[in-house]
Amino acid sequence: MILGNFTYYLALLALIIIGVLVAKRIASCLVKTIITLILIAIGVAIYWYYLK
């Protein structure tokens, strides 16, 4: 289970880094909001499939 948690946190860290890099390149506030919502949905999906 520890390896599963580590993988989950590693995937979330990668999502956050990718999100920050993409958000810096895109200036529109609406697009940043959409990217954030997509990243949150991916994070929830990873949690649901790997830790439940």
Side-chain angles (χ1 to χ4, degrees):
M1 188 66 175
I2 293 174
L3 185 58
N5 288 340
F6 179 72
T7 306
Y8 173 68
Y9 291 123
L10 188 63
L12 283 181
L13 181 64
L15 283 174
I16 291 170
I17 291 171
I18 291 170
V20 168
L21 291 176
V22 169
K24 279 187 169 185
R25 301 207 183 245
I26 301 172
S28 173
C29 185
L30 179 62
V31 175
K32 287 181 185 179
T33 303
I34 292 170
I35 290 171
T36 304
L37 291 174
I38 290 171
L39 290 175
I40 289 172
I42 291 171
V44 169
I46 290 172
Y47 174 77
W48 185 260
Y49 287 120
Y50 288 110
L51 296 179
K52 287 293 178 177

